[in-house]
PDB file of all heavy atoms in Angstrom:
ATOM      1  N   THR X1449      12.267  44.865  27.497  1.00 98.00           N
ATOM      2  CA  THR X1449      11.850  43.495  27.181  1.00 98.00           C
ATOM      3  C   THR X1449      11.970  43.305  25.681  1.00 98.00           C
ATOM      4  O   THR X1449      11.867  44.250  24.901  1.00 98.00           O
ATOM      5  CB  THR X1449      10.400  43.158  27.605  1.00 98.00           C
ATOM      6  OG1 THR X1449       9.481  43.925  26.823  1.00 98.00           O
ATOM      7  CG2 THR X1449      10.174  43.398  29.088  1.00 98.00           C
ATOM      8  N   SER X1450      12.171  42.059  25.304  1.00 98.00           N
ATOM      9  CA  SER X1450      12.510  41.762  23.919  1.00 98.00           C
ATOM     10  C   SER X1450      11.705  40.569  23.432  1.00 98.00           C
ATOM     11  O   SER X1450      10.922  39.990  24.186  1.00 98.00           O
ATOM     12  CB  SER X1450      14.022  41.506  23.877  1.00 98.00           C
ATOM     13  OG  SER X1450      14.417  40.938  22.672  1.00 98.00           O
ATOM     14  N   LEU X1497      15.220  42.488  30.824  1.00 97.00           N
ATOM     15  CA  LEU X1497      14.327  41.627  31.604  1.00 97.00           C
ATOM     16  C   LEU X1497      13.902  40.359  30.882  1.00 97.00           C
ATOM     17  O   LEU X1497      13.163  39.550  31.415  1.00 97.00           O
ATOM     18  CB  LEU X1497      13.057  42.388  31.992  1.00 97.00           C
ATOM     19  CG  LEU X1497      13.252  43.640  32.843  1.00 97.00           C
ATOM     20  CD1 LEU X1497      11.906  44.242  33.199  1.00 97.00           C
ATOM     21  CD2 LEU X1497      14.038  43.322  34.096  1.00 97.00           C
ATOM     22  N   PHE X1500      11.232  36.986  25.007  1.00 97.00           N
ATOM     23  CA  PHE X1500      10.131  36.036  25.138  1.00 97.00           C
ATOM     24  C   PHE X1500       9.854  35.392  23.789  1.00 97.00           C
ATOM     25  O   PHE X1500       9.786  36.076  22.766  1.00 97.00           O
ATOM     26  CB  PHE X1500       8.883  36.739  25.679  1.00 97.00           C
ATOM     27  CG  PHE X1500       9.121  37.306  27.054  1.00 97.00           C
ATOM     28  CD1 PHE X1500       9.538  38.617  27.207  1.00 97.00           C
ATOM     29  CD2 PHE X1500       9.016  36.498  28.175  1.00 97.00           C
ATOM     30  CE1 PHE X1500       9.816  39.135  28.470  1.00 97.00           C
ATOM     31  CE2 PHE X1500       9.295  36.999  29.438  1.00 97.00           C
ATOM     32  CZ  PHE X1500       9.695  38.325  29.590  1.00 97.00           C
ATOM     33  N   ILE X1502       7.151  33.908  23.090  1.00 98.00           N
ATOM     34  CA  ILE X1502       5.729  34.021  22.812  1.00 98.00           C
ATOM     35  C   ILE X1502       5.483  35.432  22.278  1.00 98.00           C
ATOM     36  O   ILE X1502       5.746  36.414  22.989  1.00 98.00           O
ATOM     37  CB  ILE X1502       4.895  33.787  24.099  1.00 98.00           C
ATOM     38  CG1 ILE X1502       5.193  32.406  24.696  1.00 98.00           C
ATOM     39  CG2 ILE X1502       3.406  33.974  23.833  1.00 98.00           C
ATOM     40  CD1 ILE X1502       4.863  31.225  23.797  1.00 98.00           C
ATOM     41  N   VAL X1503       5.010  35.520  21.054  1.00 98.00           N
ATOM     42  CA  VAL X1503       4.846  36.828  20.424  1.00 98.00           C
ATOM     43  C   VAL X1503       3.916  37.700  21.284  1.00 98.00           C
ATOM     44  O   VAL X1503       2.828  37.278  21.657  1.00 98.00           O
ATOM     45  CB  VAL X1503       4.289  36.684  18.993  1.00 98.00           C
ATOM     46  CG1 VAL X1503       3.804  38.024  18.457  1.00 98.00           C
ATOM     47  CG2 VAL X1503       5.356  36.096  18.074  1.00 98.00           C
ATOM     48  N   GLY X1504       4.386  38.893  21.606  1.00 98.00           N
ATOM     49  CA  GLY X1504       3.589  39.847  22.384  1.00 98.00           C
ATOM     50  C   GLY X1504       3.805  39.753  23.876  1.00 98.00           C
ATOM     51  O   GLY X1504       3.439  40.673  24.617  1.00 98.00           O
ATOM     52  N   ALA X1505       4.423  38.688  24.350  1.00 98.00           N
ATOM     53  CA  ALA X1505       4.498  38.453  25.801  1.00 98.00           C
ATOM     54  C   ALA X1505       5.265  39.541  26.539  1.00 98.00           C
ATOM     55  O   ALA X1505       4.977  39.841  27.693  1.00 98.00           O
ATOM     56  CB  ALA X1505       5.123  37.088  26.087  1.00 98.00           C
ATOM     57  N   GLY X1506       6.235  40.150  25.881  1.00 98.00           N
ATOM     58  CA  GLY X1506       7.039  41.158  26.564  1.00 98.00           C
ATOM     59  C   GLY X1506       6.327  42.493  26.727  1.00 98.00           C
ATOM     60  O   GLY X1506       6.776  43.342  27.499  1.00 98.00           O
ATOM     61  N   ILE X1507       5.232  42.696  26.000  1.00 98.00           N
ATOM     62  CA  ILE X1507       4.583  44.021  26.007  1.00 98.00           C
ATOM     63  C   ILE X1507       3.974  44.333  27.380  1.00 98.00           C
ATOM     64  O   ILE X1507       4.294  45.372  27.974  1.00 98.00           O
ATOM     65  CB  ILE X1507       3.535  44.135  24.874  1.00 98.00           C
ATOM     66  CG1 ILE X1507       4.189  43.860  23.504  1.00 98.00           C
ATOM     67  CG2 ILE X1507       2.871  45.509  24.891  1.00 98.00           C
ATOM     68  CD1 ILE X1507       3.212  43.814  22.334  1.00 98.00           C
ATOM     69  N   PRO X1508       3.132  43.491  27.943  1.00 98.00           N
ATOM     70  CA  PRO X1508       2.616  43.805  29.276  1.00 98.00           C
ATOM     71  C   PRO X1508       3.708  43.746  30.347  1.00 98.00           C
ATOM     72  O   PRO X1508       3.608  44.437  31.362  1.00 98.00           O
ATOM     73  CB  PRO X1508       1.560  42.720  29.517  1.00 98.00           C
ATOM     74  CG  PRO X1508       1.901  41.619  28.583  1.00 98.00           C
ATOM     75  CD  PRO X1508       2.528  42.272  27.384  1.00 98.00           C
ATOM     76  N   ILE X1509       4.738  42.955  30.109  1.00 98.00           N
ATOM     77  CA  ILE X1509       5.786  42.825  31.129  1.00 98.00           C
ATOM     78  C   ILE X1509       6.578  44.131  31.230  1.00 98.00           C
ATOM     79  O   ILE X1509       6.863  44.611  32.334  1.00 98.00           O
ATOM     80  CB  ILE X1509       6.648  41.590  30.827  1.00 98.00           C
ATOM     81  CG1 ILE X1509       5.771  40.332  31.032  1.00 98.00           C
ATOM     82  CG2 ILE X1509       7.882  41.547  31.727  1.00 98.00           C
ATOM     83  CD1 ILE X1509       6.392  39.030  30.635  1.00 98.00           C
ATOM     84  N   ALA X1510       6.885  44.739  30.102  1.00 98.00           N
ATOM     85  CA  ALA X1510       7.531  46.063  30.146  1.00 98.00           C
ATOM     86  C   ALA X1510       6.593  47.080  30.794  1.00 98.00           C
ATOM     87  O   ALA X1510       7.025  47.949  31.561  1.00 98.00           O
ATOM     88  CB  ALA X1510       7.909  46.513  28.735  1.00 98.00           C
ATOM     89  N   THR X1511       5.322  46.959  30.504  1.00 98.00           N
ATOM     90  CA  THR X1511       4.347  47.884  31.083  1.00 98.00           C
ATOM     91  C   THR X1511       4.328  47.732  32.610  1.00 98.00           C
ATOM     92  O   THR X1511       4.241  48.720  33.348  1.00 98.00           O
ATOM     93  CB  THR X1511       2.952  47.602  30.483  1.00 98.00           C
ATOM     94  OG1 THR X1511       3.073  47.542  29.054  1.00 98.00           O
ATOM     95  CG2 THR X1511       1.957  48.700  30.852  1.00 98.00           C
ATOM     96  N   GLY X1512       4.448  46.513  33.057  1.00 98.00           N
ATOM     97  CA  GLY X1512       4.504  46.259  34.497  1.00 98.00           C
ATOM     98  C   GLY X1512       5.782  46.783  35.124  1.00 98.00           C
ATOM     99  O   GLY X1512       5.771  47.286  36.261  1.00 98.00           O
ATOM    100  N   ALA X1513       6.886  46.707  34.392  1.00 98.00           N
ATOM    101  CA  ALA X1513       8.144  47.259  34.905  1.00 98.00           C
ATOM    102  C   ALA X1513       8.005  48.776  35.037  1.00 98.00           C
ATOM    103  O   ALA X1513       8.507  49.386  35.989  1.00 98.00           O
ATOM    104  CB  ALA X1513       9.298  46.893  33.976  1.00 98.00           C
ATOM    105  N   ALA X1514       7.289  49.389  34.105  1.00 98.00           N
ATOM    106  CA  ALA X1514       7.057  50.841  34.166  1.00 98.00           C
ATOM    107  C   ALA X1514       6.174  51.182  35.362  1.00 98.00           C
ATOM    108  O   ALA X1514       6.414  52.162  36.077  1.00 98.00           O
ATOM    109  CB  ALA X1514       6.410  51.318  32.865  1.00 98.00           C
ATOM    110  N   LEU X1515       5.179  50.372  35.588  1.00 98.00           N
ATOM    111  CA  LEU X1515       4.312  50.586  36.746  1.00 98.00           C
ATOM    112  C   LEU X1515       5.140  50.500  38.035  1.00 98.00           C
ATOM    113  O   LEU X1515       5.003  51.331  38.947  1.00 98.00           O
ATOM    114  CB  LEU X1515       3.189  49.549  36.764  1.00 98.00           C
ATOM    115  CG  LEU X1515       2.229  49.642  37.949  1.00 98.00           C
ATOM    116  CD1 LEU X1515       0.784  49.700  37.462  1.00 98.00           C
ATOM    117  CD2 LEU X1515       2.396  48.462  38.887  1.00 98.00           C
ATOM    118  N   SER X1516       6.013  49.518  38.060  1.00 98.00           N
ATOM    119  CA  SER X1516       6.865  49.335  39.234  1.00 98.00           C
ATOM    120  C   SER X1516       7.747  50.564  39.453  1.00 98.00           C
ATOM    121  O   SER X1516       7.903  51.046  40.582  1.00 98.00           O
ATOM    122  CB  SER X1516       7.692  48.065  39.036  1.00 98.00           C
ATOM    123  OG  SER X1516       8.870  48.098  39.767  1.00 98.00           O
ATOM    124  N   ALA X1526      10.720  52.043  30.903  1.00 98.00           N
ATOM    125  CA  ALA X1526      10.792  50.695  30.339  1.00 98.00           C
ATOM    126  C   ALA X1526      10.508  50.764  28.842  1.00 98.00           C
ATOM    127  O   ALA X1526       9.706  51.593  28.394  1.00 98.00           O
ATOM    128  CB  ALA X1526       9.780  49.778  31.016  1.00 98.00           C
ATOM    129  N   VAL X1527      11.182  49.899  28.120  1.00 98.00           N
ATOM    130  CA  VAL X1527      10.976  49.819  26.673  1.00 98.00           C
ATOM    131  C   VAL X1527      10.596  48.390  26.327  1.00 98.00           C
ATOM    132  O   VAL X1527      11.197  47.444  26.829  1.00 98.00           O
ATOM    133  CB  VAL X1527      12.275  50.188  25.915  1.00 98.00           C
ATOM    134  CG1 VAL X1527      12.198  49.761  24.454  1.00 98.00           C
ATOM    135  CG2 VAL X1527      12.553  51.672  26.016  1.00 98.00           C
ATOM    136  N   SER X1528       9.601  48.243  25.486  1.00 98.00           N
ATOM    137  CA  SER X1528       9.324  46.925  24.945  1.00 98.00           C
ATOM    138  C   SER X1528       9.592  46.942  23.448  1.00 98.00           C
ATOM    139  O   SER X1528       9.044  47.770  22.723  1.00 98.00           O
ATOM    140  CB  SER X1528       7.867  46.539  25.199  1.00 98.00           C
ATOM    141  OG  SER X1528       7.649  45.226  24.714  1.00 98.00           O
ATOM    142  N   PHE X1529      10.452  46.050  23.006  1.00 98.00           N
ATOM    143  CA  PHE X1529      10.694  45.866  21.568  1.00 98.00           C
ATOM    144  C   PHE X1529       9.830  44.714  21.086  1.00 98.00           C
ATOM    145  O   PHE X1529       9.843  43.626  21.678  1.00 98.00           O
ATOM    146  CB  PHE X1529      12.147  45.470  21.315  1.00 98.00           C
ATOM    147  CG  PHE X1529      13.152  46.560  21.512  1.00 98.00           C
ATOM    148  CD1 PHE X1529      13.938  46.601  22.660  1.00 98.00           C
ATOM    149  CD2 PHE X1529      13.348  47.536  20.538  1.00 98.00           C
ATOM    150  CE1 PHE X1529      14.894  47.588  22.842  1.00 98.00           C
ATOM    151  CE2 PHE X1529      14.299  48.528  20.703  1.00 98.00           C
ATOM    152  CZ  PHE X1529      15.078  48.562  21.862  1.00 98.00           C
ATOM    153  N   PHE X1530       9.090  44.926  20.029  1.00 98.00           N
ATOM    154  CA  PHE X1530       8.308  43.831  19.459  1.00 98.00           C
ATOM    155  C   PHE X1530       8.069  44.098  17.986  1.00 98.00           C
ATOM    156  O   PHE X1530       8.349  45.192  17.489  1.00 98.00           O
ATOM    157  CB  PHE X1530       6.983  43.659  20.216  1.00 98.00           C
ATOM    158  CG  PHE X1530       6.203  44.935  20.383  1.00 98.00           C
ATOM    159  CD1 PHE X1530       5.282  45.322  19.436  1.00 98.00           C
ATOM    160  CD2 PHE X1530       6.413  45.753  21.483  1.00 98.00           C
ATOM    161  CE1 PHE X1530       4.577  46.512  19.577  1.00 98.00           C
ATOM    162  CE2 PHE X1530       5.714  46.947  21.620  1.00 98.00           C
ATOM    163  CZ  PHE X1530       4.791  47.326  20.675  1.00 98.00           C
ATOM    164  N   ALA X1534       3.286  41.432  16.368  1.00 98.00           N
ATOM    165  CA  ALA X1534       2.849  41.344  17.763  1.00 98.00           C
ATOM    166  C   ALA X1534       1.702  42.293  18.089  1.00 98.00           C
ATOM    167  O   ALA X1534       0.958  42.064  19.041  1.00 98.00           O
ATOM    168  CB  ALA X1534       4.037  41.625  18.684  1.00 98.00           C
ATOM    169  N   GLU X1537      -1.803  40.985  18.746  1.00 98.00           N
ATOM    170  CA  GLU X1537      -2.138  40.227  19.950  1.00 98.00           C
ATOM    171  C   GLU X1537      -2.912  41.145  20.891  1.00 98.00           C
ATOM    172  O   GLU X1537      -2.598  42.335  21.022  1.00 98.00           O
ATOM    173  CB  GLU X1537      -0.877  39.727  20.671  1.00 98.00           C
ATOM    174  CG  GLU X1537      -0.139  38.598  19.960  1.00 98.00           C
ATOM    175  CD  GLU X1537      -0.799  37.226  20.144  1.00 98.00           C
ATOM    176  OE1 GLU X1537      -1.990  37.156  20.503  1.00 98.00           O
ATOM    177  OE2 GLU X1537      -0.106  36.216  19.893  1.00 98.00           O
ATOM    178  N   GLY X1538      -3.870  40.587  21.576  1.00 98.00           N
ATOM    179  CA  GLY X1538      -4.676  41.377  22.504  1.00 98.00           C
ATOM    180  C   GLY X1538      -3.860  42.104  23.557  1.00 98.00           C
ATOM    181  O   GLY X1538      -4.191  43.229  23.933  1.00 98.00           O
ATOM    182  N   VAL X1539      -2.785  41.495  24.028  1.00 98.00           N
ATOM    183  CA  VAL X1539      -2.008  42.122  25.104  1.00 98.00           C
ATOM    184  C   VAL X1539      -1.440  43.475  24.697  1.00 98.00           C
ATOM    185  O   VAL X1539      -1.219  44.327  25.554  1.00 98.00           O
ATOM    186  CB  VAL X1539      -0.862  41.224  25.618  1.00 98.00           C
ATOM    187  CG1 VAL X1539      -1.407  40.130  26.511  1.00 98.00           C
ATOM    188  CG2 VAL X1539      -0.031  40.667  24.488  1.00 98.00           C
ATOM    189  N   PHE X1540      -1.216  43.676  23.412  1.00 98.00           N
ATOM    190  CA  PHE X1540      -0.753  44.993  22.958  1.00 98.00           C
ATOM    191  C   PHE X1540      -1.788  46.050  23.331  1.00 98.00           C
ATOM    192  O   PHE X1540      -1.470  47.079  23.939  1.00 98.00           O
ATOM    193  CB  PHE X1540      -0.524  44.954  21.442  1.00 98.00           C
ATOM    194  CG  PHE X1540      -0.317  46.306  20.803  1.00 98.00           C
ATOM    195  CD1 PHE X1540       0.910  46.956  20.887  1.00 98.00           C
ATOM    196  CD2 PHE X1540      -1.342  46.920  20.091  1.00 98.00           C
ATOM    197  CE1 PHE X1540       1.104  48.198  20.288  1.00 98.00           C
ATOM    198  CE2 PHE X1540      -1.154  48.157  19.486  1.00 98.00           C
ATOM    199  CZ  PHE X1540       0.071  48.796  19.583  1.00 98.00           C
ATOM    200  N   HIS X1541      -3.025  45.770  23.009  1.00 98.00           N
ATOM    201  CA  HIS X1541      -4.096  46.751  23.250  1.00 98.00           C
ATOM    202  C   HIS X1541      -4.370  46.914  24.740  1.00 98.00           C
ATOM    203  O   HIS X1541      -4.544  48.034  25.233  1.00 98.00           O
ATOM    204  CB  HIS X1541      -5.344  46.326  22.475  1.00 98.00           C
ATOM    205  CG  HIS X1541      -5.053  46.234  21.013  1.00 98.00           C
ATOM    206  ND1 HIS X1541      -5.182  47.309  20.162  1.00 98.00           N
ATOM    207  CD2 HIS X1541      -4.541  45.223  20.272  1.00 98.00           C
ATOM    208  CE1 HIS X1541      -4.782  46.957  18.948  1.00 98.00           C
ATOM    209  NE2 HIS X1541      -4.398  45.694  18.985  1.00 98.00           N
ATOM    210  N   GLU X1542      -4.380  45.827  25.435  1.00 98.00           N
ATOM    211  CA  GLU X1542      -4.635  45.892  26.881  1.00 98.00           C
ATOM    212  C   GLU X1542      -3.542  46.708  27.567  1.00 98.00           C
ATOM    213  O   GLU X1542      -3.811  47.518  28.465  1.00 98.00           O
ATOM    214  CB  GLU X1542      -4.702  44.471  27.453  1.00 98.00           C
ATOM    215  CG  GLU X1542      -5.861  43.655  26.856  1.00 98.00           C
ATOM    216  CD  GLU X1542      -5.877  42.188  27.301  1.00 98.00           C
ATOM    217  OE1 GLU X1542      -5.327  41.877  28.366  1.00 98.00           O
ATOM    218  OE2 GLU X1542      -6.459  41.364  26.571  1.00 98.00           O
ATOM    219  N   SER X1543      -2.316  46.504  27.122  1.00 98.00           N
ATOM    220  CA  SER X1543      -1.186  47.203  27.748  1.00 98.00           C
ATOM    221  C   SER X1543      -1.241  48.700  27.466  1.00 98.00           C
ATOM    222  O   SER X1543      -1.046  49.518  28.363  1.00 98.00           O
ATOM    223  CB  SER X1543       0.133  46.634  27.225  1.00 98.00           C
ATOM    224  OG  SER X1543       0.232  45.272  27.534  1.00 98.00           O
ATOM    225  N   LEU X1544      -1.493  49.054  26.204  1.00 98.00           N
ATOM    226  CA  LEU X1544      -1.529  50.482  25.863  1.00 98.00           C
ATOM    227  C   LEU X1544      -2.605  51.207  26.662  1.00 98.00           C
ATOM    228  O   LEU X1544      -2.399  52.323  27.144  1.00 98.00           O
ATOM    229  CB  LEU X1544      -1.779  50.681  24.358  1.00 98.00           C
ATOM    230  CG  LEU X1544      -0.507  50.981  23.556  1.00 98.00           C
ATOM    231  CD1 LEU X1544       0.419  49.788  23.533  1.00 98.00           C
ATOM    232  CD2 LEU X1544      -0.839  51.449  22.151  1.00 98.00           C
ATOM    233  N   ASN X1545      -3.718  50.562  26.797  1.00 98.00           N
ATOM    234  CA  ASN X1545      -4.806  51.198  27.545  1.00 98.00           C
ATOM    235  C   ASN X1545      -4.392  51.471  28.988  1.00 98.00           C
ATOM    236  O   ASN X1545      -4.558  52.582  29.502  1.00 98.00           O
ATOM    237  CB  ASN X1545      -6.048  50.312  27.499  1.00 98.00           C
ATOM    238  CG  ASN X1545      -7.206  50.934  28.249  1.00 98.00           C
ATOM    239  OD1 ASN X1545      -7.541  52.103  28.022  1.00 98.00           O
ATOM    240  ND2 ASN X1545      -7.800  50.191  29.153  1.00 98.00           N
ATOM    241  N   MET X1546      -3.837  50.474  29.643  1.00 98.00           N
ATOM    242  CA  MET X1546      -3.466  50.661  31.050  1.00 98.00           C
ATOM    243  C   MET X1546      -2.322  51.656  31.200  1.00 98.00           C
ATOM    244  O   MET X1546      -2.313  52.485  32.112  1.00 98.00           O
ATOM    245  CB  MET X1546      -3.121  49.316  31.695  1.00 98.00           C
ATOM    246  CG  MET X1546      -4.364  48.477  31.956  1.00 98.00           C
ATOM    247  SD  MET X1546      -4.030  46.944  32.857  1.00 98.00           S
ATOM    248  CE  MET X1546      -3.606  45.853  31.513  1.00 98.00           C
ATOM    249  N   ALA X1547      -1.371  51.584  30.270  1.00 98.00           N
ATOM    250  CA  ALA X1547      -0.228  52.503  30.350  1.00 98.00           C
ATOM    251  C   ALA X1547      -0.693  53.951  30.208  1.00 98.00           C
ATOM    252  O   ALA X1547      -0.210  54.855  30.895  1.00 98.00           O
ATOM    253  CB  ALA X1547       0.781  52.164  29.269  1.00 98.00           C
ATOM    254  N   TRP X1550      -2.771  55.137  33.301  1.00 98.00           N
ATOM    255  CA  TRP X1550      -1.986  55.378  34.518  1.00 98.00           C
ATOM    256  C   TRP X1550      -0.699  56.154  34.231  1.00 98.00           C
ATOM    257  O   TRP X1550       0.182  56.232  35.070  1.00 98.00           O
ATOM    258  CB  TRP X1550      -1.679  54.033  35.197  1.00 98.00           C
ATOM    259  CG  TRP X1550      -2.943  53.335  35.635  1.00 98.00           C
ATOM    260  CD1 TRP X1550      -4.092  53.928  36.099  1.00 98.00           C
ATOM    261  CD2 TRP X1550      -3.204  51.931  35.638  1.00 98.00           C
ATOM    262  NE1 TRP X1550      -5.040  52.983  36.388  1.00 98.00           N
ATOM    263  CE2 TRP X1550      -4.521  51.729  36.131  1.00 98.00           C
ATOM    264  CE3 TRP X1550      -2.455  50.800  35.283  1.00 98.00           C
ATOM    265  CZ2 TRP X1550      -5.105  50.471  36.258  1.00 98.00           C
ATOM    266  CZ3 TRP X1550      -3.032  49.549  35.423  1.00 98.00           C
ATOM    267  CH2 TRP X1550      -4.342  49.390  35.905  1.00 98.00           C
ATOM    268  N   LEU X1552       2.043  55.580  32.533  1.00 98.00           N
ATOM    269  CA  LEU X1552       3.225  54.794  32.880  1.00 98.00           C
ATOM    270  C   LEU X1552       4.402  55.143  31.971  1.00 98.00           C
ATOM    271  O   LEU X1552       4.217  55.406  30.775  1.00 98.00           O
ATOM    272  CB  LEU X1552       2.908  53.294  32.778  1.00 98.00           C
ATOM    273  CG  LEU X1552       1.759  52.831  33.671  1.00 98.00           C
ATOM    274  CD1 LEU X1552       1.514  51.334  33.493  1.00 98.00           C
ATOM    275  CD2 LEU X1552       2.029  53.156  35.144  1.00 98.00           C
ATOM    276  N   VAL X1554       6.550  54.073  29.812  1.00 98.00           N
ATOM    277  CA  VAL X1554       6.900  52.933  28.951  1.00 98.00           C
ATOM    278  C   VAL X1554       6.880  53.379  27.492  1.00 98.00           C
ATOM    279  O   VAL X1554       6.011  54.158  27.079  1.00 98.00           O
ATOM    280  CB  VAL X1554       5.948  51.733  29.202  1.00 98.00           C
ATOM    281  CG1 VAL X1554       4.485  52.113  29.087  1.00 98.00           C
ATOM    282  CG2 VAL X1554       6.258  50.557  28.284  1.00 98.00           C
ATOM    283  N   TYR X1556       6.780  51.870  23.715  1.00 98.00           N
ATOM    284  CA  TYR X1556       6.518  50.680  22.902  1.00 98.00           C
ATOM    285  C   TYR X1556       7.200  50.872  21.557  1.00 98.00           C
ATOM    286  O   TYR X1556       6.896  51.819  20.834  1.00 98.00           O
ATOM    287  CB  TYR X1556       5.010  50.504  22.704  1.00 98.00           C
ATOM    288  CG  TYR X1556       4.264  50.341  24.009  1.00 98.00           C
ATOM    289  CD1 TYR X1556       3.533  51.392  24.561  1.00 98.00           C
ATOM    290  CD2 TYR X1556       4.299  49.141  24.707  1.00 98.00           C
ATOM    291  CE1 TYR X1556       2.857  51.245  25.757  1.00 98.00           C
ATOM    292  CE2 TYR X1556       3.631  48.983  25.916  1.00 98.00           C
ATOM    293  CZ  TYR X1556       2.907  50.031  26.432  1.00 98.00           C
ATOM    294  OH  TYR X1556       2.254  49.885  27.617  1.00 98.00           O
TER     295      TYR X1556
END
Side-chain angles (χ1 to χ4, degrees):
Chain X
T1449 67
S1450 167
L1497 300 183
F1500 298 93
I1502 302 299
V1503 166
I1507 303 174
I1509 293 173
T1511 311
L1515 179 128
S1516 155
V1527 165
S1528 183
F1529 288 103
F1530 50 90
E1537 288 282 19
V1539 284
F1540 168 79
H1541 301 271
E1542 297 174 24
S1543 299
L1544 260 67
N1545 181 51
M1546 286 185 274
W1550 297 325
L1552 302 180
V1554 53
Y1556 300 103

